[in-house]
Amino acid sequence: MRVVLVTYGSRGDVEPMAGLAVRLRALGAEVRVCAPPDFAELLDGVGVPLTPLGWPIRALATGAIPDKAKAGLAGIAAELTAMAYEAVTGAAGDRAAVVATGSFPAVAGARAAAEKLGVPYVFTSLSPSYLPSSHHAPRPWPGQVIPEGVTGNRELWALDAEHKDALFGETINRHRVSVGLPPVDGIRDHVFTGRPFLATDPVLGPWQETPELDVTQTGAWIRPDERPLPADLEAFLAAGEKPVYVGFGSMPMRGASAQEISRAVIEAVRARGRRVLLGSGWADLTAIDDRDDCFVVGEVNQQALFGRVAAVVHHGGAGTTATAARAGAPQVIVPQVADQPYWAGRVTELGIGTGHDGPTPTAESLSAALKIALAPQTGARAAVVAGTVRTDGADRAAKLLLGLTGSAG
């Protein structure tokens, strides 16, 4: 059996697919991943072929592709839908299953490809907050206006569906007709289907049953990482007390320059009497002086690292949140976009850290948040929650997917 895994997004969207791919291969499936070309090395590292999908995601996210910035949302969505369709039809066969997450237009293209090929399709959400439910409200899209007096969750989700129709419906239906498929009404529900997977841990990101959807919560899809930490990082860790890790992953920070953010986070950690370990990432964090209490790393094995730090300050991606929680590391989440405010809220509710107020930290605001994260009771609570986080989500999802065709070979 062949399984085609599709995503267009940052590393946080690709890592879960890599985790699922590893388990599918272990169970005898043939796997292809359609993802941004940025992640060829990551997927090569787990022995999974990459079918490049779309433009390099970092270049697109940072505005380094000028003609795409000029194209606007509609133009990018139209191209991305078509590119995802072509990638999936090229990677799949007549005996395959398609699993998709990430950017909505890309997922719509994957859905159309599966429909055209007549193969099973599974939409997967990496956060409960994306899925329609009477138990929570959607996050408004940029530019979306909520009419005064509309406060009920079902009403808000109905508006969310209307907004997605307005943003993407015409574009996606035009593509569907161009490949010989009929147009559809209610594009969001068509793409999500009535039976999506939810790849989150039941403790960190629980799902409450709702009449709107029949959701299968598998647990988070984790890629085991056995890489050793670099020798110079090991030396820094051994040279003193546990540092505070600060890194914002595949997320350019808003509201300040890289130098300003770097100064703010370093001064905040120092104000708490701690050493600081910076993950440079897309925020381009860097040292502000030559003091030996600060060390800068690039991409690193966070599974090996987070159990050895005093706290983790990050952007609130689902994967980073889960990795820190598994390690028992208290967290400060500085949410920027998408589901990141949801994870900041969950960390706060669970008592394993706190959310920062706003996307742009200052030395004073981050120091105040770190006071909460570094409190003994937060560390004790984080250690308790760490023991409850499941690690078998990818295995469960892989077995369910192989069952779609009744074969694991």
Side-chain angles (χ1 to χ4, degrees):
M1 176 188 176
R2 177 177 292 184
V3 182
V4 179
L5 308 179
V6 189
T7 187
Y8 190 77
S10 66
R11 190 183 186 99
D13 297 292
V14 179
E15 278 278 0
M17 290 302 201
L20 179 59
V22 169
R23 290 307 306 148
L24 284 166
R25 282 177 55 113
L27 294 172
E30 180 186 357
V31 185
R32 297 285 186 275
V33 176
C34 302
D38 313 54
F39 302 105
E41 183 177 352
L42 166 63
L43 292 166
D44 184 64
V46 296
V48 177
L50 169 68
T51 297
L53 167 57
W55 315 276
I57 187 66
R58 182 171 187 176
L60 183 66
T62 57
I65 310 178
D67 61 321
K68 298 309 166 198
K70 295 176 183 177
L73 180 61
I76 291 173
E79 289 191 69
L80 197 51
T81 300
M83 288 190 290
Y85 178 89
E86 295 298 330
V88 174
T89 53
D94 60 0
R95 189 166 176 265
V98 175
V99 183
T101 192
S103 168
F104 188 86
V107 177
R111 167 77 154 117
E115 193 175 340
K116 186 72 173 180
L117 294 167
V119 300
Y121 160 83
V122 178
F123 170 72
T124 297
S125 179
L126 303 180
S127 171
S129 63
Y130 289 138
L131 296 176
S133 170
S134 56
H135 298 294
H136 62 258
R139 287 192 60 80
W141 278 58
Q144 183 183 3
V145 178
I146 306 298
E148 187 176 352
V150 177
T151 57
N153 289 340
R154 286 192 171 93
E155 292 176 292
L156 290 168
W157 280 109
L159 288 175
D160 176 80
E162 292 175 9
H163 191 65
K164 285 190 173 64
D165 276 341
L167 285 176
F168 303 117
E170 182 179 353
T171 296
I172 291 169
N173 276 325
R174 188 184 306 119
H175 175 264
R176 287 177 59 83
V177 170
S178 75
V179 298
L181 294 170
V184 295
D185 294 324
I187 200 68
R188 183 200 68 193
D189 295 342
H190 174 77
V191 169
F192 285 7
T193 77
R195 303 185 67 185
F197 279 9
L198 175 58
T200 64
D201 181 78
V203 171
L204 296 180
W207 178 254
Q208 293 178 270
E209 290 188 11
T210 180
E212 287 80 5
L213 291 174
D214 180 11
V215 172
T216 298
Q217 185 167 26
T218 62
W221 300 349
I222 298 167
R223 174 180 69 96
D225 195 342
E226 304 298 331
R227 294 174 298 162
L229 297 177
D232 54 355
L233 174 56
E234 285 282 7
F236 176 76
L237 293 171
E241 292 186 341
K242 289 182 176 182
V244 171
Y245 174 87
V246 183
F248 302 110
S250 303
M251 189 59 53
M253 298 294 285
R254 295 186 285 160
S257 69
Q259 186 68 20
E260 289 169 330
I261 295 292
S262 298
R263 180 170 296 279
V265 300
I266 291 171
E267 289 180 352
V269 176
R270 285 174 172 169
R272 290 290 152 198
R274 298 283 181 162
R275 301 190 301 155
V276 58
L277 176 59
L278 293 180
S280 54
W282 290 12
D284 293 322
L285 299 182
T286 186
I288 59 173
D289 52 39
D290 59 0
R291 288 172 55 175
D292 62 4
D293 66 343
C294 179
F295 189 85
V296 183
V297 295
E299 200 281 315
V300 70
N301 181 353
Q302 293 182 343
Q303 294 174 23
L305 175 62
F306 282 0
R308 301 175 64 183
V309 300
V312 176
V313 179
H314 63 101
H315 58 298
T320 309
T321 303
T323 301
R326 283 181 63 207
Q331 305 180 49
V332 174
I333 293 182
V334 186
Q336 303 295 303
V337 295
D339 61 334
Q340 294 164 16
Y342 168 81
W343 294 112
R346 286 300 301 154
V347 162
T348 303
E349 290 165 9
L350 287 167
I352 61 176
T354 189
H356 180 271
D357 184 14
T360 309
T362 65
E364 294 76 16
S365 66
L366 186 55
S367 178
L370 280 169
K371 181 179 181 180
I372 297 171
L374 294 170
Q377 61 267 30
T378 307
R381 177 62 180 160
V384 170
V385 170
T388 70
V389 178
R390 290 177 51 173
T391 59
D392 64 344
D395 185 64
R396 184 181 181 212
K399 290 174 180 176
L400 289 169
L401 289 167
L402 294 177
L404 291 175
T405 63
S407 172

